[in-house]
PDB file of all heavy atoms in Angstrom:
ATOM      1  N   MET Q   9     207.033 230.701 151.371  1.00 44.00           N
ATOM      2  CA  MET Q   9     207.258 229.925 152.574  1.00 44.00           C
ATOM      3  C   MET Q   9     207.204 228.467 152.176  1.00 44.00           C
ATOM      4  O   MET Q   9     206.158 227.967 151.760  1.00 44.00           O
ATOM      5  CB  MET Q   9     206.190 230.212 153.631  1.00 44.00           C
ATOM      6  CG  MET Q   9     206.476 229.519 154.973  1.00 44.00           C
ATOM      7  SD  MET Q   9     207.919 230.243 155.790  1.00 44.00           S
ATOM      8  CE  MET Q   9     207.274 231.851 156.232  1.00 44.00           C
ATOM      9  N   LEU Q  10     208.327 227.758 152.235  1.00 45.00           N
ATOM     10  CA  LEU Q  10     208.428 226.390 151.751  1.00 45.00           C
ATOM     11  C   LEU Q  10     208.453 225.419 152.914  1.00 45.00           C
ATOM     12  O   LEU Q  10     209.277 225.567 153.826  1.00 45.00           O
ATOM     13  CB  LEU Q  10     209.691 226.223 150.908  1.00 45.00           C
ATOM     14  CG  LEU Q  10     209.876 227.252 149.788  1.00 45.00           C
ATOM     15  CD1 LEU Q  10     211.136 226.934 149.027  1.00 45.00           C
ATOM     16  CD2 LEU Q  10     208.665 227.268 148.884  1.00 45.00           C
ATOM     17  N   HIS Q  11     207.570 224.456 152.895  1.00 46.00           N
ATOM     18  CA  HIS Q  11     207.538 223.424 153.920  1.00 46.00           C
ATOM     19  C   HIS Q  11     208.004 222.129 153.272  1.00 46.00           C
ATOM     20  O   HIS Q  11     207.307 221.550 152.449  1.00 46.00           O
ATOM     21  CB  HIS Q  11     206.122 223.272 154.480  1.00 46.00           C
ATOM     22  CG  HIS Q  11     205.605 224.528 155.089  1.00 46.00           C
ATOM     23  ND1 HIS Q  11     205.861 224.886 156.386  1.00 46.00           N
ATOM     24  CD2 HIS Q  11     204.865 225.535 154.551  1.00 46.00           C
ATOM     25  CE1 HIS Q  11     205.286 226.048 156.637  1.00 46.00           C
ATOM     26  NE2 HIS Q  11     204.673 226.463 155.543  1.00 46.00           N
ATOM     27  N   PHE Q  12     209.178 221.655 153.642  1.00 44.00           N
ATOM     28  CA  PHE Q  12     209.752 220.491 152.991  1.00 44.00           C
ATOM     29  C   PHE Q  12     209.439 219.236 153.785  1.00 44.00           C
ATOM     30  O   PHE Q  12     209.521 219.212 154.998  1.00 44.00           O
ATOM     31  CB  PHE Q  12     211.274 220.626 152.893  1.00 44.00           C
ATOM     32  CG  PHE Q  12     211.706 221.712 151.970  1.00 44.00           C
ATOM     33  CD1 PHE Q  12     211.938 222.994 152.444  1.00 44.00           C
ATOM     34  CD2 PHE Q  12     211.855 221.453 150.626  1.00 44.00           C
ATOM     35  CE1 PHE Q  12     212.326 223.994 151.592  1.00 44.00           C
ATOM     36  CE2 PHE Q  12     212.250 222.449 149.773  1.00 44.00           C
ATOM     37  CZ  PHE Q  12     212.480 223.730 150.257  1.00 44.00           C
ATOM     38  N   SER Q  13     209.108 218.184 153.073  1.00 45.00           N
ATOM     39  CA  SER Q  13     209.030 216.851 153.669  1.00 45.00           C
ATOM     40  C   SER Q  13     209.527 215.865 152.640  1.00 45.00           C
ATOM     41  O   SER Q  13     209.336 216.068 151.440  1.00 45.00           O
ATOM     42  CB  SER Q  13     207.602 216.507 154.084  1.00 45.00           C
ATOM     43  OG  SER Q  13     206.811 216.238 152.960  1.00 45.00           O
ATOM     44  N   PRO Q  14     210.168 214.756 153.042  1.00 43.00           N
ATOM     45  CA  PRO Q  14     210.721 213.803 152.067  1.00 43.00           C
ATOM     46  C   PRO Q  14     209.681 213.261 151.115  1.00 43.00           C
ATOM     47  O   PRO Q  14     209.938 213.064 149.950  1.00 43.00           O
ATOM     48  CB  PRO Q  14     211.299 212.696 152.958  1.00 43.00           C
ATOM     49  CG  PRO Q  14     211.558 213.359 154.282  1.00 43.00           C
ATOM     50  CD  PRO Q  14     210.480 214.381 154.435  1.00 43.00           C
ATOM     51  N   VAL Q  15     208.461 213.051 151.619  1.00 43.00           N
ATOM     52  CA  VAL Q  15     207.432 212.435 150.766  1.00 43.00           C
ATOM     53  C   VAL Q  15     206.958 213.404 149.704  1.00 43.00           C
ATOM     54  O   VAL Q  15     206.861 213.089 148.524  1.00 43.00           O
ATOM     55  CB  VAL Q  15     206.245 211.959 151.618  1.00 43.00           C
ATOM     56  CG1 VAL Q  15     205.135 211.432 150.712  1.00 43.00           C
ATOM     57  CG2 VAL Q  15     206.706 210.871 152.580  1.00 43.00           C
ATOM     58  N   GLU Q  16     206.680 214.667 150.108  1.00 42.00           N
ATOM     59  CA  GLU Q  16     206.093 215.606 149.167  1.00 42.00           C
ATOM     60  C   GLU Q  16     207.096 216.096 148.140  1.00 42.00           C
ATOM     61  O   GLU Q  16     206.788 216.281 146.976  1.00 42.00           O
ATOM     62  CB  GLU Q  16     205.485 216.784 149.933  1.00 42.00           C
ATOM     63  CG  GLU Q  16     204.266 216.352 150.748  1.00 42.00           C
ATOM     64  CD  GLU Q  16     203.715 217.477 151.609  1.00 42.00           C
ATOM     65  OE1 GLU Q  16     204.484 218.406 151.921  1.00 42.00           O
ATOM     66  OE2 GLU Q  16     202.532 217.415 151.961  1.00 42.00           O
ATOM     67  N   LEU Q  17     208.348 216.327 148.577  1.00 43.00           N
ATOM     68  CA  LEU Q  17     209.342 216.784 147.616  1.00 43.00           C
ATOM     69  C   LEU Q  17     209.701 215.700 146.621  1.00 43.00           C
ATOM     70  O   LEU Q  17     210.197 215.979 145.540  1.00 43.00           O
ATOM     71  CB  LEU Q  17     210.601 217.245 148.359  1.00 43.00           C
ATOM     72  CG  LEU Q  17     210.536 218.671 148.920  1.00 43.00           C
ATOM     73  CD1 LEU Q  17     211.787 218.980 149.706  1.00 43.00           C
ATOM     74  CD2 LEU Q  17     210.325 219.688 147.832  1.00 43.00           C
ATOM     75  N   ALA Q  18     209.438 214.435 146.953  1.00 43.00           N
ATOM     76  CA  ALA Q  18     209.737 213.346 146.025  1.00 43.00           C
ATOM     77  C   ALA Q  18     208.871 213.413 144.791  1.00 43.00           C
ATOM     78  O   ALA Q  18     209.134 212.751 143.795  1.00 43.00           O
ATOM     79  CB  ALA Q  18     209.539 212.000 146.720  1.00 43.00           C
TER      80      ALA Q  18
END
Side-chain angles (χ1 to χ4, degrees):
M9 186 69 69
L10 308 182
H11 300 275
F12 293 92
S13 73
V15 175
E16 292 175 337
L17 278 176

